[in-house]
Amino acid sequence: MITPQKEFRIGPKTVKIPQSPFARKLLGVLLILGGILGFLPILGFWMLPLGLLILSIDLPFLRKYRRKIAIRMEKRKRGHEVPAPQKAQEQDLA
């Protein structure tokens, strides 16, 4: 059986999540409901993606999208570290 993650890394910050599946689902649903009411004071629209992120641990159809986004972000991060290829500059000179 796959053990769920104990924490998420969002940029430089680490967010711990509950270990109980019931608590994770409840927290995810509450965050989504709070995100829907984001126009009210105290609540915010930031709660909606965080709730989906927490629910993606237990729901396979959301997990698929979380993995795709994580792969895309990692490719983008690595793409910025790699210098531009020299071929494009050589073709301009020819």
Side-chain angles (χ1 to χ4, degrees), residues 4-81:
Q5 294 176 318
K6 296 179 181 179
E7 54 192 27
F8 274 112
R9 250 186 76 206
I10 303 174
K13 298 191 182 223
T14 302
V15 179
K16 293 184 179 184
I17 55 173
Q19 292 302 304
S20 166
F22 176 75
R24 281 192 305 264
K25 289 176 185 174
L26 181 65
L27 179 63
V29 168
L30 289 175
L31 283 168
I32 289 173
L33 290 175
I36 291 171
L37 300 173
F39 58 89
L40 296 173
I42 307 296
L43 304 174
F45 292 112
W46 60 270
M47 298 170 86
L48 188 62
L50 185 60
L52 289 172
L53 184 68
I54 291 174
L55 282 178
S56 72
I57 296 169
D58 295 313
L59 302 176
F61 64 91
L62 289 175
R63 190 177 313 135
K64 176 176 68 171
Y65 294 111
R66 177 175 48 99
R67 287 180 182 166
K68 285 183 180 180
I69 291 170
I71 290 170
R72 190 178 314 146
M73 289 173 62
E74 185 64 28
K75 284 182 180 179
R76 182 181 296 171
K77 178 181 167 187
R78 289 183 182 185
H80 288 295
E81 295 173 1

